[in-house]
Amino acid sequence: MAEMMRAALFVEPGRIVLDDKVIPDVGPGDALLRITTTTICGTDVHILKGEYPVAQGLTVGHEPVGVIEKLGRNVEGYSEGQRVIAGAICPSGYSNACLDGLCAQDGQSGAHGLKPLGGWRFGNTIDGSQAEYLLVPDAMANLAPVPDGLSDEEVLMCPDIMSTGFAGAESGNIKIGDTVAVFAQGPIGLCATAGAKLRGATTIIAVEAVPERIAMAKQVGADVVVDFNKTDPVEEILRLTKGRGVDVSIEALGLQSTFQQCLQVLKPGGTLSSLGVYSEDLTIPLSGFHAGLGDHKIVTSLCPGGKERMRRLMNAIASGRVDLKPMITHRYSLDQIEEAYLLFANQQDGVLKIAITP
């Protein structure tokens, strides 16, 4: 009889439930992780609500911290019992996209090796991490050993939100001495704020209204927080910059309104770095776009993955230059995953991130 595990399964829009599932077999290039900590992402909530389609019965989740339970026969350089993480984006390592530095857009063995969002497999096209065990494909491209001395909770943000938020700062090409605006201070926006500080921005303006998130934004690097419930953020940011505008604006919410505001606060020649997941067509307002002649750049990013990216992020944590553990506001067992989804999906009790432990 096949061995079973507990896993959070997508049943239908509005229903993710904990149920039994067969522990997967391990192929030659795979690794089986015993999950020790995982979490819930805003994208999982989109799946729960039916706003992002996945297969019925899929195990959701894409932020794994765990221990190698079993290695495929072709996997070298790792050992069973080793603590590791894997990125939310788990590229094959061999596709045209990967070899072109576009791991998140991995089309694997397709004709041209490119597929939009193709590198996002966990909890999307294959079973994810909100379970007792997780099968990691292409293990040698994706498993990153956790340095001694770092706890599960210290590295829990690396697989997704830290990698994504930092990518917003990196794609914006923030330079030492830049002024940066980050619109929305949810988990991704907070990581973008922290990334902007690491990149050398010397004035970071966060836009947020939730008191707990305002406090956390200041903790991770924001110099000023503009409360959009109290003042128009565009007017306030232009006032703060004496009309110059910001060098880089980062959109971390995925709304037309924040996208538009990000454009309106940019200096001529500035960069709008977009991290939001949009659910409808965007329009570019003439205001702020300067008839298309403002030398602006609009760039988008999907969470970078792979073991080298994870290694670098864990280095940043181990160095003490960034600490994202305070973003974990709640802790639940896997048995309580349905309750945790209820809290997270409804943004109750000041929740930012939830640590889930089997």
Side-chain angles (χ1 to χ4, degrees):
M1 182 178 290
E3 288 190 77
M4 307 296 287
M5 65 176 180
R6 294 170 301 157
L9 310 181
F10 173 77
V11 178
E12 61 186 4
R15 287 187 67 206
I16 287 176
V17 301
L18 190 68
D19 206 346
D20 290 335
K21 195 165 194 173
V22 174
I23 297 175
D25 293 329
V26 181
D30 303 336
L32 183 68
L33 296 193
R34 176 174 57 82
I35 296 295
T36 53
T37 309
T38 187
T39 184
I40 300 172
C41 176
T43 309
D44 299 325
V45 175
H46 286 298
I47 291 170
L48 171 65
K49 293 179 178 179
E51 296 167 352
Y52 186 91
V54 299
Q56 185 179 28
L58 183 84
T59 303
V60 289
H62 50 260
E63 297 158 281
V65 184
V67 174
I68 297 174
E69 182 81 6
K70 186 176 181 181
L71 290 169
R73 65 176 182 270
N74 293 341
V75 180
E76 300 176 352
Y78 299 90
S79 59
E80 292 175 0
Q82 188 174 19
R83 291 180 66 224
V84 293
I85 63 172
I89 302 297
C90 53
S92 63
Y94 58 75
S95 68
N96 294 61
C98 290
L99 297 175
D100 198 26
L102 300 169
C103 291
Q105 316 301 331
D106 186 358
Q108 296 184 53
S109 57
H112 45 69
L114 288 160
K115 180 184 178 184
L117 281 66
W120 173 30
R121 293 192 271 175
F122 293 138
N124 182 22
T125 57
I126 63 174
D127 281 335
S129 62
Q130 291 170 18
E132 292 180 288
Y133 293 93
L134 171 73
L135 187 72
V136 179
D138 303 303
M140 292 175 66
N142 290 292
L143 294 182
V146 177
D148 293 339
L150 290 185
S151 69
D152 279 17
E153 291 193 356
E154 285 176 306
V155 301
L156 183 58
M157 305 306 153
C158 296
D160 184 0
I161 66 164
M162 184 181 181
S163 188
T164 302
F166 279 25
E170 292 162 327
S171 296
N173 195 27
I174 293 171
K175 299 179 177 63
I176 294 170
D178 270 356
T179 297
V180 176
V182 184
F183 281 74
Q185 294 294 293
I188 295 291
L190 288 166
C191 290
T193 296
K197 183 177 180 180
L198 281 177
R199 289 278 297 191
T202 48
T203 302
I204 301 172
I205 305 167
V207 180
E208 183 54 68
V210 178
E212 294 88 353
R213 297 183 176 198
I214 289 173
M216 189 62 66
K218 293 176 180 176
Q219 188 171 333
V220 299
D223 298 290
V224 182
V225 181
V226 174
D227 184 339
F228 61 81
N229 280 340
K230 296 179 179 178
T231 186
D232 179 275
V234 173
E235 291 179 2
E236 183 63 10
I237 289 170
L238 291 176
R239 186 190 70 80
L240 289 167
T241 60
K242 297 180 172 57
R244 177 183 183 274
V246 300
D247 299 285
V248 178
S249 59
I250 300 176
E251 201 289 327
L253 190 57
L255 295 179
Q256 170 68 38
S257 58
T258 44
F259 179 85
Q260 180 170 323
Q261 290 164 346
C262 276
L263 190 59
Q264 290 171 324
V265 300
L266 276 183
K267 72 173 187 182
T271 299
L272 192 168
S273 180
S274 174
L275 293 174
V277 179
Y278 303 98
S279 56
E280 56 187 24
D281 289 347
L282 289 173
T283 58
I284 293 178
L286 192 59
S287 169
F289 196 54
H290 306 304
L293 304 174
D295 285 327
H296 293 125
K297 302 175 188 69
I298 299 175
V299 295
T300 65
S301 302
L302 175 59
C303 174
K307 66 183 181 183
E308 174 62 9
R309 175 68 169 184
M310 296 300 107
R311 182 191 70 82
R312 288 175 177 273
L313 296 178
M314 289 190 288
N315 275 355
I317 293 166
S319 71
R321 285 173 169 81
V322 63
D323 179 13
L324 301 176
K325 183 180 174 183
M327 290 175 59
I328 300 173
T329 54
H330 295 74
R331 292 165 179 84
Y332 284 86
S333 70
L334 183 62
D335 288 335
Q336 300 170 301
I337 190 86
E338 294 174 43
E339 181 183 341
Y341 262 100
L342 188 64
L343 175 90
F344 190 76
N346 292 289
Q347 291 296 295
Q348 298 170 340
D349 195 31
V351 65
L352 279 171
K353 290 292 282 186
I354 301 173
I356 306 288
T357 52

